[in-house]
Amino acid sequence: MHRLIAEHGLDQTDFTEDDARAALRDMIRARRFDERALALQRRGWMSGYPPFKGQEASQIGAAHAMREDDVLLPTYRSNALQIARGVPPSDLFLFRRGYAEYESDHDVPVFPQAVPIASQIPHAAGVGMASTYRGDDYAALVCFGDGATSEGDFHEGLNFAGVFDAPVVFFCENNGWAISLPRDRQTASESIAVKAEAYGIEGVQVDGNDPLAVREVVSEALEKARQGKPVLVESLTYRQGAHTTADDPTRYRDDDPDLPEWRTADPLERFEEFCLDAGIVDQDELDAMYEEANEELREAKETAEETPEPGPDELFDYVYEDLTPELAEQRAEYMAHVDEHGPFHIER
């Protein structure tokens, strides 16, 4: 399903100019975050970082489709989606500086970022099943890349959701590459979306460079999920930069001539042009959005720098809800070592 709403106008959709303006604002916030995070990592301010430039429309559209009580299960490249859902950028900075992601004061229903590929997909099926068993009305949206569909967790999660009618939307951002492996070297399937048929659920494709199209498709998918009909959404997008800051994409790919321009074009530039041409924003308002985003990130960086570092004993706090006797013994041994030799410390 390819919907180029930007070409047809808002009158073809249920969205208002305020909806388009909000999507643009969050896309700008996400782009500025990505640029700032990349620069900070290059300075050694935080550890390795996975850029998401080119995927802002996909993630912002999905975020704007979710209800407040819907649960997000992000992957490590879902920062734009998390920001649009209300996760403070300072939290994302802190995570990259080694802080526990569980300590934030925000009340957004979001799981910690999943760094192991596809491990969050079975979790999403469980979250959805829990919603059903408890008689709740929320759905889960789980994000992953096309590379995750080669993992067993993907098949297990979709199979459970299909069998137990779990209210889950499986949101696959097909950005064309799983690190250096192109999509056509991962699967002979016609698409990612078609894989849904094996599990008795619906699969749908959407233009991932159009935030309004993504919002429409994901909104419909979430409504179906709440009725016990899980959906696999394949968002056709494109990773413009490296897989991570440790990656050199020039070693394995050129500009992809086989992909259409609508997929490889910059989604932010495309949507800015649409909003300006349609009179949704003027240049002054657009400039103000960038200034607000810059100020937000300046404050986020200051908040991250002012946050006290966790104590060494906190290393044991997030393994189990209740500390086991074995871990209690290990913590006591470790703290005795710290008392004698001092904590291990990394200069920032």
Side-chain angles (χ1 to χ4, degrees):
M1 179 177 183
H2 299 275
R3 296 295 305 278
L4 301 178
I5 292 176
E7 293 183 359
H8 303 310
L10 291 178
D11 58 339
Q12 302 294 318
T13 76
D14 294 329
F15 305 124
T16 67
E17 290 189 0
D18 285 342
D19 293 329
R21 194 176 294 109
L24 177 59
R25 179 177 289 105
D26 277 346
M27 287 179 66
I28 290 171
R29 294 174 64 216
R31 176 61 62 85
R32 280 294 190 245
F33 175 88
D34 192 63
E35 293 171 343
R36 187 64 170 145
L38 186 60
L40 289 170
Q41 193 282 329
R42 293 304 192 198
R43 286 171 43 190
W45 188 83
M46 62 185 189
S47 60
Y49 175 71
F52 56 77
K53 181 180 180 182
Q55 298 180 223
E56 293 91 349
S58 175
Q59 294 191 29
I60 299 306
H64 285 209
M66 299 178 71
R67 287 192 336 205
E68 288 187 4
D69 60 339
D70 288 336
V71 179
L72 171 64
L73 292 94
T75 185
Y76 55 86
R77 206 184 302 278
S78 300
N79 289 165
L81 215 155
Q82 291 173 281
I83 289 171
R85 283 285 286 162
V87 176
S90 56
D91 283 18
L92 303 176
F93 282 154
L94 285 169
F95 174 69
R96 289 292 162 189
R97 284 168 67 85
Y99 288 65
E101 202 176 3
Y102 313 93
E103 295 180 342
S104 175
D105 292 332
H106 72 70
D107 57 359
V108 181
V110 55
F111 272 53
Q113 295 180 34
V115 177
I117 303 300
S119 63
Q120 72 277 20
I121 299 177
H123 298 167
V127 169
M129 291 164 66
S131 175
T132 300
Y133 293 163
R134 293 171 175 170
D136 293 327
D137 189 37
Y138 64 81
L141 186 140
V142 57
C143 308
F144 50 95
D146 47 300
T149 66
S150 296
E151 296 286 342
D153 303 71
F154 168 80
H155 305 281
E156 293 162 3
L158 269 69
N159 190 55
F160 266 91
V163 170
F164 294 102
D165 302 325
V168 182
V169 172
F170 298 93
F171 186 66
C172 176
E173 289 191 277
N174 182 354
N175 64 27
W177 293 88
I179 310 183
S180 60
L181 193 68
R183 179 249 180 227
D184 61 6
R185 295 293 294 168
Q186 289 194 82
T187 179
S189 296
E190 179 182 351
S191 68
I192 301 297
V194 76
K195 293 177 181 288
E197 295 181 12
Y199 308 105
I201 68 175
E202 180 182 356
V204 60
Q205 285 184 326
V206 64
D207 172 11
N209 270 2
D210 187 331
L212 301 185
V214 176
R215 176 177 167 178
E216 180 175 348
V217 169
V218 175
S219 293
E220 293 173 356
L222 285 166
E223 285 303 312
K224 291 177 180 178
R226 294 188 189 99
Q227 299 167 18
K229 300 174 182 178
V231 181
L232 170 62
V233 176
E234 179 184 7
S235 180
L236 297 171
T237 182
Y238 186 68
R239 168 167 61 83
Q240 293 189 3
H243 173 73
T244 70
T245 46
D247 175 41
D248 178 9
T250 64
R251 297 182 61 185
Y252 57 83
R253 87 179 192 203
D254 300 317
D255 291 337
D256 286 290
D258 296 332
L259 293 178
E261 189 276 338
W262 63 262
R263 186 167 173 186
T264 58
D266 189 310
L268 179 55
E269 291 180 1
R270 181 170 111 166
F271 198 57
E272 280 183 3
E273 181 179 355
F274 164 64
C275 289
L276 288 168
D277 290 347
I280 295 170
V281 297
D282 58 28
Q283 190 61 52
D284 288 342
E285 187 173 4
L286 185 63
D287 292 343
M289 289 181 180
Y290 276 97
E291 291 176 5
E292 291 169 3
N294 290 337
E295 178 63 19
E296 177 184 38
L297 291 173
R298 185 191 66 78
E299 293 178 356
K301 177 176 178 290
E302 288 182 358
T303 298
E305 291 177 333
E306 293 169 358
T307 301
E309 290 193 3
D313 58 324
E314 293 185 37
L315 178 67
F316 301 86
D317 287 348
Y318 304 105
V319 182
Y320 297 103
E321 182 175 3
D322 297 316
L323 200 65
T324 65
E326 291 82 5
L327 281 177
E329 181 179 352
Q330 291 177 27
R331 182 168 67 176
E333 292 177 356
Y334 176 63
M335 293 309 298
H337 179 84
V338 168
D339 290 342
E340 182 177 356
H341 302 285
F344 178 74
H345 183 73
I346 298 176
E347 292 294 335
R348 299 190 187 278

